[in-house]
Amino acid sequence: MTASAIDADIDKTALVARFGAGPRLYDPVLAAERLAGWLRDLAPEQADAIAALGDAFPAVKTSLLSIAEASPYLFDLVRGDPLRLLRVLRGAPEQSLAKLLEDAEMFVAAASAEDEVMAALRRMKAEAALLIALCDIGGIWPVMQVTQALTDLAGRSVQMALRFLLRQEAGRGRIVPPNPDCPEQGSGLVVLAMGKMGAGELNYSSDIDLIVFYELEAPTLAPDIEPQPFFVRVTQGLSRILQQRRGDGYVFRVDLRLRPDPASTPVALSIASALDYYEREGRTWERAAMIKARPCAGDLVAGEALLSEIAPFVWRKHLDFAALADVHDMKRQMQTYRGQTEIAVEGHNVKVGRGGIREIEFFAQTQQLIAGGRHPELRVRPTLEALEILAARNWITWQARDELSEAYLFLRKVEHRVQMIADEQTHALPDSVEAIERFSRFLGYDSREAFAHDLLGYLEQVQGHYGKLFEGDPTGTAKLPPVDYAAGPEDTRLLDHLRTLGYKKPLMVATTLQQWMTGGYRVLKVETTQRAFREFVPALIEELARAEQPDDAINAFDRLLQALHRGGRLISLLSQNRDLLTLVALVLGAAPRLGDMLARQPQIMDGLIDPRFFGAMPDQAELSARLAVTLADAGSYEEFLDRLRLFGQESLFLIGTRILSGTVPTQQAAVAFADVAEGIVGTVHGLVSEQFASTYGRVKDQQTAILAMGKLGSREMTASSDLDLILIYDFDDDAPDSDGERSLHGAQYFARFTQRLISAFTTRTNYGVLYDVDMRLRPSGRAGPVASRLDAFAAYQEQEAWTWEHLALTRARVISASPEFRRRIEQVIRAVLTRPRDAAIIANDVAEMRRAIAQEKGEDDVWDLKYAAGGMVDIDFIAQYLQLVHAHQAPDILHANTLAALDNATRLGFLAQSDAEVLRPAARLYQDLTQILRLCVSETFKPDTAGDDLLRVLVRAGDAPDFSSLEARVKETQAEVRAIFDRLIGGEGA
């Protein structure tokens, strides 16, 4: 059929006929190859039909090419079912989506088994996801119609799953519904949709936030059935049906953690206990969340009654300006942590970043909270509707309404396109210029510059309106009267002033201030320093009052002052830079280890004021250059080691501070820690080689290499990681003695050299210890020689090494050696890792090792993120197991880094995509939290005794609204990871 004939045959309401301006292509050749390769694999009639539609409608063809080029997720949907693609393209999207939902509803109503329901809902989701994406990409539906379609899809999915479960329970006699076809009616079971789902604003790859409540006197419950276990079981079933990852995917990820105290409460709560909670201890963020709450499934009448009862908690009778400071503080803390304090393009988070979607939402919600109690018309869920009413009631200008609305629509479109790439719940733009160039084309722009122009314009507009909302002193601290900071705790005026600033312990703060102002510490004895400090104190007290825990910040700064030997320059720096002071307050309050380092060596503060501090993390070449400058004029071996230690500690401090402030992703921080360590190891290797040779000479044709294992090998280091090292050497057998004044024989030479090397790292000097070194991963462990000759190392790995040693070898990386010796070692390691293995034997060995670790270390502490059941060790073992059993047939699976190895295993088909979608986010979550804990906690982390500063930083790192929600997420994640470990490798029965 010709293109013109097809054009005439297609109804004008069909999706294919309504495509407008769509994406552009970044690499047309690559895109064409991918699409053509897929079409070649299809049955000829299907390939011809798709090609003919593309020829008849060029905008559709370009969009399919763009999907092939830029969106692995959508291209998988396209390739997964050619008939589905043709059905979607040929149908009118509005009718197609409605029929899709109706057909699924009929199928679920007739289903007798849960597996049938899960399969039907996943088929529906896949087709709807493709249809909605094409309507978005082709400009067929405006962005808010897209969000409403996604919301409708989610709502109907929840309703279908819940109705099926309740019908099953009715069949078992546990409930007696008046209407068996709609057993949820009158059941007293309420499912609230929260967030964007509640407002009809769901984004493309969003979780759905639900809270499930039930009436204690559930009307349809059978007399002998207890409400709580019944409704908890139903809720767990609902979550399972919707989010369990299978070969055919999932429907929606379900987040039940917005309920009260989710770490300690069941997944379904009684309405009575919920109302009691909100009345007693509900927080501002929970009030804001309830603005968008909407009954979406279950007993809708009971749901509306519940919202009426919660209304007094959400909507205060009087103008609630206290909410302004609370919401602003929430946004500021979130933004500061995530490193989104500046407007940017590459890597910018369009949700929580400066000028992003969250600022528009907070702009509207804050004013709704302030005035919604007295003005019921403000109690609306959708953001754009709230802006409209705020303008109509003169709370904001029409210009603000127009600019914020336009920006909101733009940013939501960008957000959707980001999420279409891989169906990931991400809001961050790609982080390189090249990746943004690709993304810009996928969004329909001709260039990065054109996209950046629009993006920056909208971000700046939003930020301007958001900033104006919080002008005029939201915390009530402006124009405070001058006071005498030296007056002490007897001065009531000073105490009142401190209370107004937000200090909870004014007596303690006043006493501390008196000590400062009277020059009570060594650092303040110098008159010029004391004078500068006195002038600085008012600004210092005001800035520390903005800290999360002002009284703790005062104590931390007090400890810093006491520890300082010289402080004039530090005080001058802080007095001139408020942002620096805020950062230091965070460090002092949350990470005493870094604070002590700062007190001992104030000069490391210089790195914080370097313009490069908040830029890209330095790569290995830049670090090597900086290290060379640091060591250039060292006068002795001891001074050389001291400077190395100072460089290492300054680097640790700067990376640690960036982790705390959230201005670097933890994966980048892990690589940066490893790059610093690698640079230092290489430098020490060269230094000790030269120094050792000056005494003992060299062995003919000698070669030495340092093999990094563990976290250094995988470039996943934290601030407290040891160095797991193996030294490998080789030399000429015909001349085994060294040629120095004090000659040594082969193996003895290299053993003593290795001991000298370890000593260079571990000897304590004025600047402390460089690194702790662990060499237990060498052949034969503690019983073996400290250094191994290459042939002996190869023979041991081939003939004697245990499975656990080969697992460890997957992380081995040569970090200091000549190029030729490096290649020889890498060939040995690759040969060992790619030999054939019996998968059952390896699985049994891995399972046995995991049980042994559990017996030794325990696995019941949820916050032992490494060793807990389902923790990081489980993920590491999965990645290492997959490499050992599959590297023989697919050497490309090998990678020292855990996440990269999982990606390789998924790409090569050895790890199911559904499992990867659990393991990758789990590993990132554990790494995010572990980086914080290693910086801030020296012993076991105990939430009950941890400081509020640390808990807040962890909450932000885990992207949770509060600590209880974070703890619930960790527990859920560990359960999912352990289930995958048991399935792939084996649990107790292995």
Side-chain angles (χ1 to χ4, degrees):
M1 186 179 289
T2 65
S4 58
I6 288 176
D7 195 1
D9 188 53
I10 292 290
D11 189 283
K12 298 305 179 184
T13 63
L15 187 152
V16 71
R18 291 161 60 184
F19 254 71
R24 305 283 192 270
L25 296 176
Y26 178 81
D27 187 340
V29 174
L30 175 65
E33 287 175 355
R34 285 181 179 169
L35 188 61
W38 170 58
L39 291 175
R40 280 195 300 270
D41 293 336
L42 298 182
E45 63 274 12
Q46 294 176 348
D48 291 345
I50 293 169
L53 282 176
D55 292 339
F57 301 97
V60 173
K61 182 175 183 179
T62 301
S63 293
L64 290 176
L65 287 167
S66 180
I67 286 170
E69 174 186 59
S71 173
Y73 171 65
L74 291 180
F75 198 41
D76 281 346
L77 289 180
V78 166
R79 290 184 297 184
D81 186 347
L83 293 177
R84 176 173 60 201
L85 174 64
L86 289 167
R87 191 164 57 244
V88 166
L89 289 174
R90 289 169 172 165
E94 297 81 5
Q95 286 75 29
S96 295
L97 183 60
K99 185 174 187 307
L100 192 59
L101 295 173
E102 289 166 9
D103 289 349
E105 201 162 68
M106 290 174 59
F107 188 95
V108 170
S112 58
E114 186 173 292
D115 188 68
E116 297 174 42
V117 174
M118 294 174 79
L121 292 178
R122 280 155 181 77
R123 284 195 303 272
M124 175 192 72
K125 168 63 185 297
E127 186 157 336
L130 179 60
L131 184 155
I132 293 169
L134 290 173
C135 285
D136 192 339
I137 288 172
I140 297 165
W141 288 348
V143 69
M144 297 317 295
Q145 187 172 351
V146 171
T147 66
Q148 188 60 60
L150 291 165
T151 304
D152 292 343
L153 176 65
R156 294 283 283 276
S157 299
V158 174
Q159 291 164 11
M160 286 183 243
L162 184 62
R163 185 170 291 175
F164 167 79
L165 290 166
L166 291 178
R167 279 181 183 149
Q168 296 285 93
E169 297 294 352
R172 300 182 183 109
R174 292 175 179 152
I175 58 173
V176 187
N179 181 357
D181 290 333
C182 299
E184 70 277 9
Q185 292 177 1
S187 65
L189 176 62
V190 173
V191 182
L192 292 185
M194 308 295 289
K196 287 185 167 61
M197 183 178 174
E201 301 168 339
L202 211 58
N203 47 305
Y204 190 77
S205 294
S206 181
D207 299 350
I208 55 174
D209 296 306
L210 305 176
I211 306 182
V212 180
F213 297 115
Y214 61 87
E215 293 179 353
L216 282 171
E217 303 298 327
T220 65
L221 212 56
D224 58 339
I225 302 297
E226 284 291 322
Q228 179 175 314
F230 175 82
F231 288 116
V232 165
R233 186 171 62 252
V234 169
T235 303
Q236 290 168 336
L238 176 67
S239 178
R240 180 179 61 251
I241 287 174
L242 294 176
Q243 75 173 4
Q244 188 175 86
R245 291 169 171 85
R246 312 175 347 147
D248 51 358
Y250 67 100
V251 189
F252 284 94
R253 294 177 293 263
V254 178
D255 192 338
L256 297 165
R257 296 189 301 264
L258 288 183
R259 68 185 186 273
D261 195 11
S264 306
T265 55
V267 291
L269 290 174
S270 73
I271 289 174
S273 64
L275 291 173
D276 179 62
Y277 169 85
Y278 289 126
E279 182 179 342
R280 284 185 299 105
E281 52 187 297
R283 286 154 291 183
T284 298
W285 75 261
E286 290 173 305
R287 291 178 58 206
M290 279 294 171
I291 291 176
K292 295 189 175 185
R294 174 177 59 85
C296 70
D299 189 336
L300 300 182
V301 174
E304 293 295 347
L306 171 61
L307 289 185
S308 296
E309 291 192 76
I310 291 177
F313 161 69
V314 181
W315 309 110
R316 303 292 166 81
K317 293 179 180 178
H318 306 288
L319 293 178
D320 186 13
F321 285 99
L324 185 64
D326 282 351
V327 174
H328 182 48
D329 195 46
M330 286 159 52
K331 179 68 173 65
R332 180 180 61 82
Q333 291 173 9
M334 172 182 59
Q335 213 165 43
T336 301
Y337 179 76
R338 283 292 166 193
Q340 296 288 339
T341 53
E342 302 297 333
I343 287 174
V345 179
E346 281 74 24
H348 195 73
N349 191 309
V350 296
K351 177 181 178 182
V352 302
R354 183 75 74 186
I357 296 165
R358 185 60 61 82
E359 282 193 357
I360 302 172
E361 292 173 337
F362 276 13
F363 180 92
Q365 288 174 350
T366 301
Q367 295 177 89
Q368 288 178 280
L369 285 180
I370 290 170
R374 294 181 62 180
H375 300 277
E377 67 273 14
L378 289 173
R379 303 177 191 181
V380 295
R381 298 183 181 103
T383 301
L384 294 180
E385 190 176 336
L387 292 173
E388 181 74 26
I389 295 173
L390 286 168
R393 299 298 184 272
N394 292 320
W395 284 88
I396 63 174
T397 65
W398 289 107
Q399 180 184 357
R401 188 280 312 263
D402 292 344
E403 291 179 352
L404 290 173
S405 298
E406 188 178 344
Y408 182 80
L409 294 172
F410 173 82
L411 293 171
R412 292 303 308 272
K413 192 177 184 74
V414 172
E415 174 188 50
H416 286 184
R417 206 61 55 95
V418 167
Q419 294 178 347
M420 285 177 195
I421 294 171
D423 189 32
E424 291 182 341
Q425 174 65 335
T426 181
H427 309 272
L429 292 170
D431 58 7
S432 71
V433 172
E434 181 184 0
I436 286 288
E437 286 282 6
R438 290 179 179 272
F439 176 76
S440 300
R441 305 306 201 284
F442 186 40
L443 191 57
Y445 283 88
D446 291 326
S447 66
R448 175 202 174 276
E449 286 69 27
F451 167 61
H453 175 271
D454 285 358
L455 174 71
L456 294 175
Y458 285 122
L459 294 175
E460 287 165 1
Q461 275 189 348
V462 172
Q463 204 281 319
H465 288 295
Y466 181 81
K468 288 176 185 176
L469 178 64
F470 292 99
E471 282 178 359
D473 188 36
T475 58
T477 59
K479 301 178 182 177
L480 291 168
V483 293
D484 182 2
Y485 287 100
E490 291 79 24
D491 189 318
T492 57
R493 189 178 177 196
L494 174 60
L495 297 181
D496 289 343
H497 175 75
L498 293 172
R499 287 191 192 94
T500 303
L501 284 170
Y503 291 97
K504 304 294 190 297
K505 301 175 183 177
L507 287 172
M508 179 276 292
V509 176
T511 302
T512 304
L513 283 171
Q514 192 173 42
Q515 287 182 293
W516 293 355
M517 300 299 282
T518 55
Y521 298 147
R522 174 178 50 196
V523 68
L524 299 174
K525 296 296 184 185
V526 178
E527 183 179 344
T528 53
T529 303
Q530 169 73 287
R531 187 166 57 250
F533 184 70
R534 278 177 165 275
E535 294 175 0
F536 167 50
V537 161
L540 172 66
I541 296 305
E542 186 176 332
E543 190 58 43
L544 293 182
R546 302 175 193 269
E548 292 155 357
Q549 288 296 304
D551 305 282
D552 291 346
I554 288 286
N555 284 330
F557 196 84
D558 185 60
R559 288 196 303 271
L560 174 62
L561 283 179
Q562 291 184 58
L564 284 174
H565 296 281
R566 301 177 306 280
R569 185 166 174 274
L570 176 62
I571 289 166
S572 175
L573 280 175
L574 294 176
S575 66
Q576 295 170 25
N577 192 323
R578 282 293 186 92
D579 290 339
L580 183 62
L581 179 55
T582 301
L583 196 56
V584 169
L586 174 65
V587 168
L588 296 176
R593 177 182 179 187
L594 295 183
D596 291 343
M597 194 181 296
L598 179 61
R600 289 195 309 272
Q601 298 161 41
Q603 66 269 33
I604 63 179
M605 179 76 74
D606 291 352
L608 298 182
I609 58 175
D610 188 322
R612 296 174 297 183
F613 175 69
F614 286 112
M617 294 298 291
D619 57 18
Q620 281 185 308
E622 186 176 347
L623 283 168
S624 297
R626 292 185 191 179
L627 183 55
V629 171
T630 300
L631 301 174
D633 56 350
S636 66
Y637 180 71
E638 289 71 22
E639 185 182 357
F640 200 101
L641 292 181
D642 275 346
R643 292 194 181 192
L644 270 176
R645 281 159 172 71
L646 184 59
F647 177 84
Q649 290 180 11
E650 178 175 326
S651 299
L652 184 151
F653 178 83
L654 295 177
I655 299 168
T657 303
R658 291 201 63 173
I659 291 171
L660 276 185
S661 64
T663 55
V664 61
T666 54
Q667 281 181 272
Q668 284 189 30
V671 170
F673 280 131
D675 285 346
V676 169
E678 190 169 333
I680 289 174
V681 167
T683 301
V684 170
H685 185 197
L687 171 69
V688 172
S689 296
E690 292 299 321
Q691 204 237 10
F692 193 77
S694 68
T695 303
Y696 299 101
R698 300 181 187 276
V699 179
K700 185 180 179 184
D701 294 338
Q702 75 171 54
Q703 296 270 17
T704 59
I706 297 178
L707 188 62
M709 310 289 284
K711 294 298 185 185
L712 175 56
S714 63
R715 303 182 89 195
E716 297 169 326
M717 288 185 72
T718 69
S720 61
S721 294
D722 296 343
L723 302 185
D724 292 300
L725 303 177
I726 297 175
L727 189 121
I728 298 177
Y729 64 88
D730 205 3
F731 59 91
D732 186 342
D733 281 324
D734 294 334
D737 294 325
S738 66
D739 57 9
E741 292 180 13
R742 299 165 61 183
S743 179
L744 293 171
H745 187 74
Q748 182 188 19
Y749 178 95
F750 293 104
R752 193 169 297 180
F753 169 77
T754 303
Q755 290 165 345
R756 182 72 62 86
L757 193 70
I758 296 170
S759 177
F761 288 113
T762 59
T763 300
R764 183 172 293 279
T765 73
N766 294 332
Y767 292 97
V769 172
L770 194 50
Y771 287 102
D772 289 326
V773 175
D774 189 341
M775 302 196 75
R776 287 174 295 177
L777 291 178
R778 67 185 187 268
S780 301
R782 289 193 180 95
V786 291
S788 298
R789 190 167 178 177
L790 180 56
D791 56 358
F793 176 80
Y796 177 84
Q797 294 293 342
E798 186 64 36
Q799 300 165 16
E800 300 180 48
W802 297 74
T803 297
W804 73 263
E805 292 175 285
H806 287 168
L807 293 171
L809 203 62
T810 62
R811 288 178 159 182
R813 194 165 56 86
V814 181
I815 60 172
S816 183
S818 68
E820 184 271 335
F821 197 40
R822 178 191 300 267
R823 282 193 296 273
R824 290 173 59 195
I825 296 170
E826 288 173 345
Q827 287 169 359
V828 167
I829 293 171
R830 190 172 183 85
V832 171
L833 294 179
T834 56
R835 76 185 195 196
R837 288 177 169 83
D838 185 313
I841 293 174
I842 299 301
N844 186 70
D845 288 349
V846 173
E848 184 58 41
M849 279 184 284
R850 186 64 186 96
R851 286 193 288 273
I853 290 172
Q855 288 177 352
E856 179 185 353
K857 303 287 188 181
E859 62 175 2
D860 298 329
D861 181 359
V862 170
W863 286 102
D864 187 346
L865 299 172
K866 181 176 181 180
Y867 293 116
M872 197 64 214
V873 164
D874 286 30
I875 299 176
D876 288 338
F877 272 162
I878 290 169
Q880 292 165 355
Y881 161 79
L882 291 171
Q883 290 180 84
L884 282 193
V885 300
H886 295 299
H888 173 66
Q889 64 185 111
D892 285 352
I893 195 175
L894 294 174
H895 202 290
N897 181 271
T898 299
L899 279 169
L902 292 173
D903 287 342
N904 290 346
T906 307
R907 176 173 50 82
L908 294 167
F910 301 125
L911 179 66
Q913 183 67 38
S914 57
D915 289 340
E917 288 171 359
V918 172
L919 296 175
R920 284 192 300 239
R924 286 193 289 264
L925 174 66
Y926 297 157
Q927 289 168 354
D928 287 350
L929 299 177
T930 297
Q931 288 287 5
I932 301 292
L933 291 174
R934 293 291 182 269
L935 273 176
C936 302
V937 179
S938 54
E939 304 295 332
T940 303
F941 172 63
K942 300 292 184 187
D944 293 344
T945 57
D948 287 343
D949 273 356
L950 174 55
L951 295 183
R952 284 189 178 91
V953 173
L954 286 170
V955 164
R956 290 183 219 141
D959 198 19
D962 61 13
F963 188 78
S964 182
S965 299
L966 175 64
E967 189 165 40
R969 181 184 175 195
V970 170
K971 290 177 180 177
E972 291 168 12
T973 300
Q974 288 172 348
E976 291 179 323
V977 170
R978 175 46 65 94
I980 294 173
F981 180 89
D982 288 344
R983 179 160 40 79
L984 292 180
I985 295 173
E988 289 300 320

